[in-house]
Amino acid sequence: MDYMPFEKLVERSLQRLPKKFLDALQNITIEVEAEPPADVLDDLGHEDDGLYGLYQGTPLTEREWNYGNVLPDRIVIYQGPIERDATNDAEIEKIVLDTVVHEIGHYFGFDDDTLYSIEDEKAKKKKK
């Protein structure tokens, strides 16, 4: 998939979020990159390139009263790993949505364990 259609999937994923969450996003950028850099994979302890997204910033729950005058937080969605793991365009769209939601969860202060638990519960409910 070309870059622009993939970027549109990311934009559509954002539009699917509840308004109260979208309204709470402030001073944050969401970008698409082809691949996660090797140094990022090393820093995170990933041995392969299966990283779909990355949140970089200070979660809302960790901000103190004097937080301000900072560069925007950043979410990066990595196109290559998503496309390699998906079997079709519908699956790419689902992974993009799940990844965007996951990374925004980090912005709101959720850790990976909590987010994976929420995602597991959501998957169980869909199977019923």
Side-chain angles (χ1 to χ4, degrees):
M1 179 180 292
D2 289 332
Y3 174 84
M4 292 302 290
F6 189 89
E7 188 176 51
K8 292 284 185 202
L9 289 178
V10 172
E11 290 173 14
R12 272 201 312 255
S13 294
L14 286 169
Q15 293 168 357
R16 293 176 64 183
L17 294 174
K19 185 174 177 2
K20 66 181 178 181
F21 292 111
L22 281 176
D23 290 347
L25 294 176
Q26 296 179 3
N27 200 33
I28 186 167
T29 65
I30 300 175
E31 305 168 14
V32 172
E33 291 185 3
E35 300 290 337
D39 62 326
V40 168
L41 293 173
D42 289 343
D43 288 347
L44 296 174
H46 276 260
E47 293 180 12
D48 61 14
D49 69 347
L51 183 67
Y52 296 158
L54 181 65
Y55 168 74
Q56 299 169 310
T58 303
L60 291 179
T61 55
E62 295 178 17
R63 296 178 185 182
E64 296 182 3
W65 66 270
N66 60 348
Y67 183 83
N69 272 347
V70 296
L71 292 173
D73 288 9
R74 181 175 184 243
I75 291 175
V76 183
I77 306 300
Y78 296 112
Q79 183 174 355
I82 292 173
E83 288 183 338
R84 284 190 292 279
D85 286 351
T87 56
N88 55 49
D89 287 350
E91 194 170 355
I92 290 172
E93 188 167 1
K94 180 188 179 318
I95 294 171
V96 167
L97 174 61
D98 290 347
T99 303
V100 167
V101 168
H102 182 97
E103 300 308 328
I104 287 174
H106 287 307
Y107 171 84
F108 286 110
F110 293 98
D111 63 15
D112 273 328
D113 290 339
T114 303
L115 289 167
Y116 290 135
S117 176
I118 292 168
E119 291 163 9
D120 289 345
E121 284 299 314
K122 178 182 167 189
K124 285 179 190 175
K125 287 180 182 177
K126 278 190 175 185
K127 287 183 182 181
K128 290 182 179 181

